[in-house]
Structures are given as structure tokens and as C-alpha cells.
Amino acid sequence: MKRLQIIILMGVLAFSCKTPDKDTVTNSSDYNKYLTSNLENEKLAFAEGELKFWSDKFEKAPNQSTYLSKMAAANNEIFALTGQIKNLNTAAKQLTKVNEMRSTKSASVLRSLAKTKITQHQFQEANQALILADSLGENKSATQKMIFDVSMELGEYQKAGSILKKLSEKEDFDYLIRLAKWRDYNGDTEGAIEQLKLATIKAEELDSDELRLWIYSNIADFYGHVGSIDKSYAHYLKALEIDPNYVYALKGIAWITFSHEKNTKEAERIIAAIEKKHEAPDYNLLKAEIAKYEGDLAKEKELKETFLSLVSSSSYGDMYNAYLVTMLENEPEKALELAKKEVANRPTPQSYQLLSSAYYQNGNKSEALLIADNKVKGKTYEPKSLIHLAQVYKASGNEENVTDLKNELKGSYFEVGPNMTTVIKNL
């Protein structure tokens, strides 16, 4: 069964069976202890200690690329834990330098560089690093798995599928999570969840906190996609039991309190706690969504302007281009320029949807429809992309396609939130 069909079915069942008393799945007593800002973050303390240790050694022996590589790893970890963009950019520079310093290239260094470039949304550069790593022959399986990841980001789905078929470790955690990603891309969310369940068993067998943290939070996302909000919430809590400072899980719970329970005050309380632990411009967008839902348009505008100010910094590079395209309604030419850049960097159906919308903003209806028909329609199940696709069709008078998309989107209300749900209903 295709992803959207499953979502629609789950959404209909949830709507027809739930009573108002059952809409609340969260309980603040479950997660209050994770909201305090003075929780000791052992991971962060360790990463900062590592950075200082290897920085001191590198200062005394600047010809030792291994020390620089260790510094980059610490900077990447600090970014993951704090959201401080300077650490991510420093890690990228350090790994580039390590690669330059070594006369004999290292596949492991190139994979680390590629991983950092992926985080920066520099997918073409990541791909180049991985192609070189693959040619070296060192741990080709690890490289091939990352090439699969980048191929999915570049819209090279045939290549990604071919790599997946060739991977031999069918019971391997890394294989299972990639098979889940592949099935989700093909609209088979039910199959994706089954693979994630198998990956969960594998992570628990290996007794790896790192793997369990990843799988619990990701399967929580997928349960949310199909309307199993109680299971989603339970898995976010399981992730927090492993890492009390895991802001990704806290953000997931904040989304449940807002999108499912419509408890805006509680969502804001959780987000405020997250912001004391972690820096990320997009928290402003989540707060703006809440403000819009509450009818505080002045606050919504202020929060969006804060977001735009932050991500316009060169420090963030291309990381937020997709967001910017949809927000530059009053600057259609700039939106089109950014959409073209996003397609060049990441030619996926989602990026082409942005380009289609940008062309429509600029009054080029024919080009917008051409892209929508050939590059987006039937090529993605991502709800927000389908909403914008429907908007292009509606503005063009193609009511048949709008009706089809509107029906497909009925089960995505939790995933897109109450404001976009209103947009879907008004299509």
C-alpha cells in the first residue's frame, strides 16, 4: 500500500474513532525533567574536552594531520549538540585541510568530509569526495552506503536503487535504515516502518546507545506520518531516556503538543527550553507557525524576519535555501534565483516543486506547469511539496489535479500542522 493511501486510512480512522478526551497523548510529567537547562550534558563536555586536547597537540605539531582530523570530529559533534554553525564550518575547513595535507588520500577522511558537506547541504561536493573515496577501495561498503545517501539527495534514484541491490549485508543496521528510506521514497511507508522495526531490534541487540537514539527518533517520525501519535510520542520518550539533552526528540514532542493537541502554550514552553540548549534558526519558524495559529500576525511577521536575518548570513550557506524560496513572496526574482540554485545543488522533485512555484510567482505560468507536470507530479509523496503543487494547478484552473492532490493530502494534517491543514481544505 502506498504511503499516502496508508496515511489517509489512518487519518480517517483516527478522525472517526477518537473522542476529544483521547486527543491528548502527551503528559508533561513524562518530559519535564528533560526541559531544565542545567542538565549536565556529558556528550558536550566530552566533545569540548576532545577539541581542547587535540588543539593543544596540533598547536605543538601542526604537521600532524591526524590531530586536525580529531579536532574536526570534535567540532562536528559540538555542532550536533549545540547547533553552533561556526563549529560545523570549522570542521569542514579542517577536513579539507587534512585531505590537502595527506599525500596519500584516505577514504575515511573523505567520508568524514562528505558527511560534513551533506550537513552543510553541499551535496555535489559531498558526491565528489565520495567518488574519490570509492576509487581508493578502502571499506567500499561504508562508502557505497554514503553514495546511496547522496544519490537520494541528488535525485539520482536509479543509481541509489542499484547500490541498494548490491549491498550484501542484508541484516546490517545501516542497510535496513537505507531500505526504509528507499521504501518511503517509493510511497511505501508501511514497508519503511517494518524495516525500521527490524533496525530497532538490531540496535537493541548491539546494545548501542548511538544506534538506539537514532532509530527511536526516526521511527517516532514515521509513526507520526501515519497517524500513530501515541507510538510516536512513546519513542521520542525512549530517545530521551538515552540522552536527556536530545533536542530532536523534544522538538518532536513540541510538534505533537502543537499539531495534534493544539496546546500552543505547552509547545512554546518546550521550544523555549530547547533554545536554551541548542541554536537553530528554524525554531523561529516553528514559533511563527504557532503565532499564526493563535492569530498573532505581528508576532508571526517578527519571528519570520528574525529567521530571515539569521539564515541570510553567509555562515549558513545553502542550508536554508528551500525555506527562503517559499518565504520571498515579495521578492519573486530573488526567489526564482534561489530556486534555480537549489535545483542545481539538489535536483529532486521537491526542489523542482520550488522552481515551479517560483516561476509562477514571476508570472511564467507555462514554465511553472511544464515543470510541475514533468518533474514533480507523481514523483514525490512529500506533503508540503504536494500542497505547493496543488496551488500551482489551482491557479492554472486545473481542478481535476487539485482534487486528486487534495484527497491524497487529507491524511497529512498532523505532519503539515494546523495552518497548512487550513490551506489544504481551502484548495
Side-chain angles (χ1 to χ4, degrees):
M1 189 182 289
K2 292 294 186 181
R3 173 183 180 183
L4 285 169
Q5 292 174 319
I6 298 166
I7 293 174
I8 291 167
L9 177 61
M10 295 293 290
V12 170
L13 289 173
F15 181 80
S16 60
C17 299
K18 283 192 174 182
T19 63
D21 291 336
K22 294 182 180 179
D23 281 345
T24 300
V25 299
T26 66
N27 187 330
S28 59
S29 64
D30 293 333
Y31 54 80
N32 272 338
K33 58 187 174 182
Y34 305 124
L35 299 182
T36 176
S37 60
N38 60 5
L39 269 175
E40 183 181 0
N41 194 329
E42 294 177 1
K43 288 185 178 180
L44 179 58
F46 180 78
E48 290 173 339
E50 284 284 284
L51 180 58
K52 185 178 188 313
F53 177 80
W54 293 110
S55 296
D56 289 344
K57 290 183 75 70
F58 184 71
E59 188 176 346
K60 295 173 184 176
N63 61 327
Q64 294 295 317
S65 62
T66 301
Y67 300 162
L68 195 58
S69 183
K70 296 283 190 181
M71 292 161 60
N75 271 311
N76 266 324
E77 180 68 0
I78 292 169
F79 168 74
L81 296 170
T82 67
Q84 293 176 11
I85 192 65
K86 64 180 181 181
N87 293 95
L88 176 64
N89 293 334
T90 299
K93 291 175 183 176
Q94 288 170 335
L95 287 167
T96 300
K97 182 66 176 176
V98 171
N99 192 48
E100 292 170 352
M101 289 172 69
R102 294 193 174 188
S103 55
T104 303
K105 301 302 179 187
S106 164
S108 62
V109 170
L110 288 164
R111 284 193 295 270
S112 295
L113 176 60
K115 184 178 179 181
T116 305
K117 291 293 183 181
I118 290 169
T119 306
Q120 292 179 307
H121 285 207
Q122 295 179 12
F123 302 108
Q124 303 288 356
E125 292 87 343
N127 193 42
Q128 291 168 12
L130 290 170
I131 289 171
L132 178 54
D134 194 51
S135 71
L136 298 175
E138 173 198 329
N139 199 350
K140 283 181 72 72
S141 177
T143 303
Q144 283 289 306
K145 289 169 185 173
M146 289 193 68
I147 291 176
F148 168 87
D149 296 337
V150 172
S151 296
M152 293 294 287
E153 297 292 351
L154 292 175
E156 297 176 351
Y157 302 119
Q158 186 174 352
K159 179 180 178 180
S162 177
I163 291 171
L164 199 61
K165 287 179 182 177
K166 292 176 183 176
L167 292 175
S168 58
E169 312 97 324
K170 303 302 183 185
E171 303 300 319
D172 177 62
F173 178 88
D174 290 338
Y175 172 79
L176 291 169
I177 63 174
R178 285 169 174 83
L179 181 57
K181 185 173 184 178
W182 178 253
R183 290 190 172 177
D184 183 54
Y185 155 70
N186 283 287
D188 182 10
T189 304
E190 185 176 45
I193 290 175
E194 288 306 310
Q195 296 308 310
L196 291 176
K197 286 179 179 178
L198 292 174
T200 301
I201 294 170
K202 181 63 64 175
E204 289 170 346
E205 285 176 353
L206 294 170
D207 196 24
S208 167
D209 281 350
E210 181 182 356
L211 296 184
R212 284 187 295 184
L213 191 66
W214 190 96
I215 196 65
Y216 290 157
S217 56
N218 277 271
I219 202 169
D221 291 345
F222 274 77
Y223 278 131
H225 295 336
V226 297
S228 296
I229 312 302
D230 54 342
K231 291 182 180 180
S232 177
Y233 176 60
H235 281 80
Y236 285 134
L237 289 177
K238 290 180 75 163
L240 286 164
E241 287 173 11
I242 297 170
D243 183 355
N245 289 289
Y246 195 46
V247 295
Y248 187 89
L250 286 174
K251 187 178 180 183
I253 292 173
W255 184 256
I256 291 173
T257 61
F258 169 54
S259 183
H260 178 69
E261 299 173 352
K262 309 301 186 292
N263 188 343
T264 57
K265 297 306 177 188
E266 182 64 4
E268 288 176 325
R269 187 176 77 92
I270 298 170
I271 296 165
I274 293 172
E275 290 183 304
K276 292 178 180 177
K277 300 169 181 277
H278 190 265
E279 298 175 11
D282 43 303
Y283 295 137
N284 289 286
L285 288 185
L286 179 49
K287 291 189 293 184
E289 275 205 67
I290 294 171
K292 182 176 182 179
Y293 180 74
E294 291 182 323
D296 192 341
L297 301 186
K299 185 177 179 181
E300 179 200 7
K301 181 181 179 183
E302 180 185 347
L303 287 163
K304 285 185 174 181
E305 287 175 351
T306 299
F307 169 81
L308 288 169
S309 175
L310 289 170
V311 302
S312 296
S313 163
S314 59
S315 298
Y316 286 101
D318 297 326
M319 291 174 68
Y320 289 95
N321 283 352
Y323 291 88
L324 288 170
V325 172
T326 61
M327 295 178 70
L328 295 172
E329 297 176 354
N330 298 323
E331 299 179 71
E333 292 181 0
K334 187 174 180 180
L336 180 59
E337 180 186 339
L338 276 175
K340 288 178 178 179
K341 187 176 182 181
E342 188 68 3
V343 165
N345 187 38
R346 194 181 195 179
T348 61
Q350 292 89 341
S351 296
Y352 277 108
Q353 171 269 307
L354 292 172
L355 184 61
S356 174
S357 295
Y359 269 118
Y360 204 93
Q361 277 183 259
N362 281 269
N364 193 335
K365 184 190 298 185
S366 59
E367 189 66 22
L369 286 172
L370 186 66
I371 294 169
D373 286 334
N374 296 317
K375 296 290 187 178
V376 187
K377 185 183 177 184
K379 300 181 188 297
T380 178
Y381 296 95
E382 201 279 316
K384 288 186 179 179
S385 293
L386 296 183
I387 291 169
H388 292 297
L389 177 63
Q391 289 174 325
V392 169
Y393 280 135
K394 185 176 181 67
S396 305
N398 192 329
E399 292 299 330
E400 184 178 348
N401 279 343
V402 173
T403 300
D404 290 342
L405 289 167
K406 188 173 180 179
N407 288 332
E408 287 185 359
L409 286 162
K410 283 180 180 177
S412 302
Y413 293 165
F414 169 76
E415 188 173 351
V416 301
N419 296 321
M420 293 301 280
T421 293
T422 300
V423 172
I424 294 171
K425 291 177 178 178
N426 291 334
L427 283 171

